[in-house]
Amino acid sequence: ILCFPWLYFFMACFEGILDRSEWWSSLPVNEFEGAPIWLAKYISLRRFEDIMQGLRYTNRPRPAYEDRFHDVRELIDAFN
């Protein structure tokens, strides 16, 4: 679990990998398709997805109006 933030940051540094499961592919690493490295030796795909589903950036109830930034509003306020 300690490696999760670093792996997530590492994944964010690469553009064009839309399917997150490609990072756990068993196909040979190819410079033209797929992910640049495999992350399976650090964390399983199932554990990664479980952590992603459990992440919450706010504990505030959803407002009556549409706030597209509701999920990250508390995070934004903390930085401002």
Side-chain angles (χ1 to χ4, degrees):
I1 292 178
L2 296 176
C3 66
F4 174 81
W6 302 111
L7 294 177
Y8 194 64
F9 176 75
F10 180 77
M11 291 168 65
C13 293
F14 293 90
E15 293 183 30
I17 304 172
L18 302 177
D19 184 8
R20 206 179 276 152
S21 66
E22 288 185 18
W23 290 96
W24 285 268
S25 174
S26 60
L27 297 173
V29 175
N30 182 338
E31 65 181 285
F32 300 108
E33 60 186 0
I37 66 164
W38 298 328
L39 300 181
K41 66 181 176 180
Y42 304 107
I43 190 171
S44 70
L45 176 59
R46 181 180 173 111
R47 177 170 284 187
F48 185 87
E49 289 176 343
D50 287 346
I51 293 172
M52 287 296 292
Q53 288 177 351
L55 284 179
R56 300 289 179 266
Y57 297 105
T58 186
N59 57 4
R60 296 179 183 167
R62 192 165 289 282
Y65 59 92
E66 182 182 355
D67 181 5
R68 296 185 331 175
F69 295 102
H70 168 73
D71 294 337
V72 293
R73 176 78 54 206
E74 207 169 342
L75 187 65
I76 292 169
D77 291 345
F79 281 103
N80 288 329

